[in-house]
Amino acid sequence: MLQVSVLLCVILWSTALFGGTVLADDPYRFFNWNVTYGIILPLGVRQQGILINGQFPGPDIYSQTNDNLIINVFNSLNEPFLISWEGIQNRKDSYEDGVSGTTCPIPPGKNFTYILQVKDQIGSFFYFPSLGFHKAAGGFGGIRIYSRPLIPVPFPTPDGDYTVLIGDWYKANHTTLRKILDNGHRLAFPDGILINGRGSGVTFTVQQGKTYRLRISNVGLQNSLNFRIQGHTLKLVEVEGTHTVQTEYSSLDVHVGQSYSVLVTADQPPKDYYVVVSTRFTSQFLTTTGVLHYSNSRSAVSGPIPGGPTEIEWSLNQARSIRQNLTASGPRPNPQGSFHYGLINLTRTIRLQNSAGQVNGKQRYAVNSVSYVPADTPLKIADYFKIGGVFQVGSISDNPTGQAIHLGTSVLGTDYKAFIEIVFENTENIVQSWHLNGYNFFVVGMDGGTWSPASRKQYNLQDGVYRCTTQVYPNSWTAIYISLDNAGMWNLRSEFWARQYLGQQFYLRVYTTSTSPRDEYPIPANALLCGRALGKH
């Protein structure tokens, strides 16, 4: 009787929050997080970090396909705060996305309860704070979505499972870094690299002969990183929720914002081995090490730290080798390859070119010449309440314009259930990394030089990897296909965080005239309202 009462309470509570939409058929997992400042010393220097329940990095989220995640976040900082969920698609519900264009910030001393469903998803992801350059202070952690028990996974259950959060790091507080950016200047090169919040000394303990899954996410601010383990190979099995062809690599390039799962077998003599993470494609070089510790180890790490690759061509070839496992089941029992994306007619091509420049004497970054400026009201909330003057659909072009950079609240309109091509064109001498909230997409091609329609002849239209964050090499292009089956307002951004902060992002409005919750959920009853939406409930 008690169990029935508890379930009834949960159903009624979720009904109220969703405004009538009930997700009671799937399990609920509840989390209470208190976000605070705290002193951390990841590079040996005291600095102000952002902690979740006293932890840096924050706690991992463990879940299973279709689980409902009820995450109550209390903001104990002295400034507004939001958490976003890298790779979690928030199907039909961009209000929960946790970025400035969809969700009102949590005021200091207040709380907000996120209601997420990891609908039809599996894999390895992470969460992070999206406002105010908070990401440079912490507040991030891993997300695991396990397959349901009856869904086959294309590799044996590992003997252990580790979250590995890697990223570049500054010794300065995020407030100092933010002030530099707000004053119109570029940031200096980062000071070091962290593995799970530590600049050195992190240890992963293994037993000889056993196999372990490492869920590697680059949660850093700008640099692509190479990950490798002395004397061991990395068998790639999953990329951002997609099972891959199981290829073994000596090392793996992980671009900022990306997540990978690899299997590592402890098949070497019992000793300790270096775990190495180093920067890629930079004139300055950063590296850090951890330890793969065999439980029966007889000696400490020894020998030279293994070096990584140095050529862009090596990385490009590796990226092209990462392919979708067509016969493996994904979150559902049907094979991943049952969606034949290469046979679907494109309805639109969008070309996006990144650029850097000055606006009013201050450093800015842009997409198709527009440098994004946040509105005073989240775009999705303004759209729902039909509040005029907040944004204009079509305020960014489908194609590069060649114009000088200008400021704007850029929104690109698209149609629900369209099938489109996006080409990222990088004419700069940096590696770009692009992420789209709310979606995975098929990476169909990448190459150096200038994209043209003839470039489609080299596309992979059969087993391109299906992911949510892709790199674009210097003076190169990357092409993706997207099925726009998730209505809402979705952030498309550079993962180079200073560039994102200074305008290299925009919102993709995937629009439907339908008001049915089968297509898009209404605004949650517990949604925070701000700006011009105050008092609109």
Side-chain angles (χ1 to χ4, degrees):
M1 186 67 170
L2 177 60
Q3 291 178 334
V4 173
S5 300
V6 170
L7 178 60
L8 180 60
C9 288
V10 168
I11 293 173
L12 293 173
W13 179 74
S14 62
T15 302
L17 288 179
F18 274 98
T21 302
V22 182
L23 305 175
D25 291 338
D26 297 301
Y28 285 77
R29 297 179 189 266
F30 295 87
F31 305 84
N32 277 298
W33 287 357
N34 185 28
V35 180
T36 61
Y37 292 124
I39 298 300
I40 58 175
L41 297 92
L43 294 178
V45 175
R46 287 170 61 89
Q47 62 186 121
Q48 178 179 265
I50 292 178
L51 316 180
I52 297 180
N53 291 350
Q55 299 180 45
F56 170 77
D60 279 358
I61 292 176
Y62 294 81
S63 62
Q64 184 175 285
T65 301
N66 295 344
D67 280 355
N68 297 293
L69 309 181
I70 313 300
I71 306 173
N72 181 41
V73 177
F74 191 90
N75 178 15
S76 295
L77 309 183
N78 59 4
E79 55 184 325
F81 183 80
L82 277 178
I83 291 179
S84 192
W85 320 94
E86 189 96 349
I88 304 305
Q89 294 175 8
N90 292 314
R91 305 291 302 176
K92 304 187 289 185
D93 197 10
S94 60
Y95 300 103
E96 306 286 353
D97 214 30
V99 288
S100 67
T102 63
T103 314
C104 286
I106 308 170
K110 302 295 184 180
N111 76 299
F112 174 67
T113 301
Y114 289 89
I115 307 161
L116 315 177
Q117 188 184 30
V118 290
K119 181 69 174 173
D120 290 336
Q121 288 195 262
I122 56 170
S124 311
F125 308 97
F126 65 92
Y127 60 86
F128 68 95
S130 63
L131 300 181
F133 220 66
H134 290 153
K135 192 181 182 188
F140 45 73
I143 301 175
R144 303 180 185 187
I145 309 176
Y146 294 102
S147 297
R148 289 172 289 178
L150 298 180
I151 306 298
V153 175
F155 51 88
T157 301
D159 298 294
D161 198 329
Y162 283 109
T163 294
V164 185
L165 304 177
I166 60 177
D168 49 12
W169 191 259
Y170 289 92
K171 294 178 180 177
N173 288 341
H174 78 280
T175 51
T176 301
L177 300 172
R178 184 172 65 199
K179 186 175 181 180
I180 293 170
L181 295 171
D182 289 342
N183 287 336
H185 304 296
R186 299 186 183 207
L187 295 181
F189 195 69
D191 297 304
I193 298 172
L194 306 187
I195 304 175
N196 286 350
R198 298 178 63 177
S200 63
V202 67
T203 298
F204 303 96
T205 300
V206 296
Q207 294 184 40
Q208 192 170 27
K210 294 192 174 182
T211 297
Y212 296 82
R213 182 174 185 171
L214 305 185
R215 300 172 186 261
I216 308 165
S217 295
N218 186 338
V219 298
L221 299 172
Q222 69 181 64
N223 281 298
S224 302
L225 300 174
N226 182 265
F227 181 91
R228 54 199 182 273
I229 300 176
Q230 182 184 26
H232 294 73
T233 57
L234 312 173
K235 180 184 285 187
L236 185 64
V237 294
E238 177 250 332
V239 174
E240 295 159 15
T242 297
H243 290 130
T244 62
V245 173
Q246 295 180 16
T247 305
E248 292 193 347
Y249 300 103
S250 59
S251 69
L252 188 64
D253 277 352
V254 186
H255 304 276
V256 64
Q258 293 185 338
S259 295
Y260 292 89
S261 278
V262 299
L263 299 181
V264 176
T265 299
D267 56 3
Q268 298 300 303
K271 53 174 286 188
D272 290 355
Y273 296 86
Y274 284 114
V275 175
V276 188
V277 181
S278 57
T279 51
R280 291 279 273 136
F281 322 113
T282 56
S283 57
Q284 301 180 62
F285 185 74
L286 294 174
T287 187
T288 192
T289 60
V291 176
L292 186 74
H293 170 68
Y294 279 53
S295 59
N296 59 341
S297 172
R298 299 188 181 95
S299 59
V301 290
S302 60
I305 296 173
T310 57
E311 309 85 7
I312 288 180
E313 192 69 22
W314 184 96
S315 187
L316 176 61
N317 289 335
Q318 182 178 78
R320 287 170 169 166
S321 74
I322 297 173
R323 297 178 291 126
Q324 186 175 189
N325 185 335
L326 298 180
T327 59
S329 297
R332 296 187 177 189
N334 49 302
Q336 293 180 146
S338 58
F339 184 79
H340 300 287
Y341 68 91
L343 301 179
I344 302 173
N345 291 328
L346 295 170
T347 59
R348 185 176 179 184
T349 295
I350 298 169
R351 295 168 51 218
L352 303 175
Q353 189 175 102
N354 49 270
S355 59
Q358 298 271 318
V359 177
N360 300 324
K362 292 188 173 184
Q363 181 66 49
R364 296 294 298 187
Y365 300 95
V367 184
N368 286 359
S369 300
V370 186
S371 185
Y372 182 83
V373 178
D376 60 7
T377 306
L379 312 181
K380 182 58 189 172
I381 293 176
D383 209 12
Y384 179 81
F385 289 115
K386 296 180 171 55
I387 301 170
V390 175
F391 69 91
Q392 181 179 349
V393 177
S395 47
I396 180 173
S397 172
D398 276 23
N399 295 285
T401 65
Q403 299 174 354
I405 293 175
H406 62 279
L407 305 179
T409 303
S410 35
V411 176
L412 188 64
T414 57
D415 295 327
Y416 180 49
K417 295 192 175 178
F419 190 77
I420 68 171
E421 173 187 42
I422 293 181
V423 182
F424 297 104
E425 301 180 1
N426 180 15
T427 59
E428 299 182 77
N429 194 32
I430 63 166
V431 176
Q432 265 286 10
S433 190
W434 290 100
H435 175 83
L436 176 60
N437 282 10
Y439 284 93
N440 271 25
F441 45 71
F442 297 96
V443 181
V444 295
M446 56 177 64
D447 205 353
T450 302
W451 181 90
S452 72
S455 302
R456 295 187 180 117
K457 295 177 182 178
Q458 61 178 282
Y459 281 6
N460 177 355
L461 298 181
Q462 294 186 353
D463 59 358
V465 68
Y466 186 58
R467 64 184 313 167
C468 57
T469 306
T470 187
Q471 71 272 30
V472 191
Y473 293 100
N475 301 298
S476 300
W477 57 267
T478 295
I480 63 174
Y481 283 1
I482 313 174
S483 177
L484 296 179
D485 58 356
N486 193 14
M489 188 78 71
W490 303 107
N491 188 223
L492 198 160
R493 61 176 177 267
S494 171
E495 288 291 317
F496 192 134
W497 213 240
R499 285 175 168 255
Q500 177 272 155
Y501 184 80
L502 292 181
Q504 206 153 74
Q505 60 170 307
F506 67 92
Y507 282 81
L508 198 68
R509 182 185 188 239
V510 182
Y511 182 70
T512 175
T513 57
S514 170
T515 58
S516 169
R518 290 175 299 181
D519 297 314
E520 186 175 13
Y521 294 145
I523 189 169
N526 74 322
L528 299 174
L529 298 182
C530 56
R532 303 185 211 184
L534 280 172
K536 289 286 186 179
H537 262 320

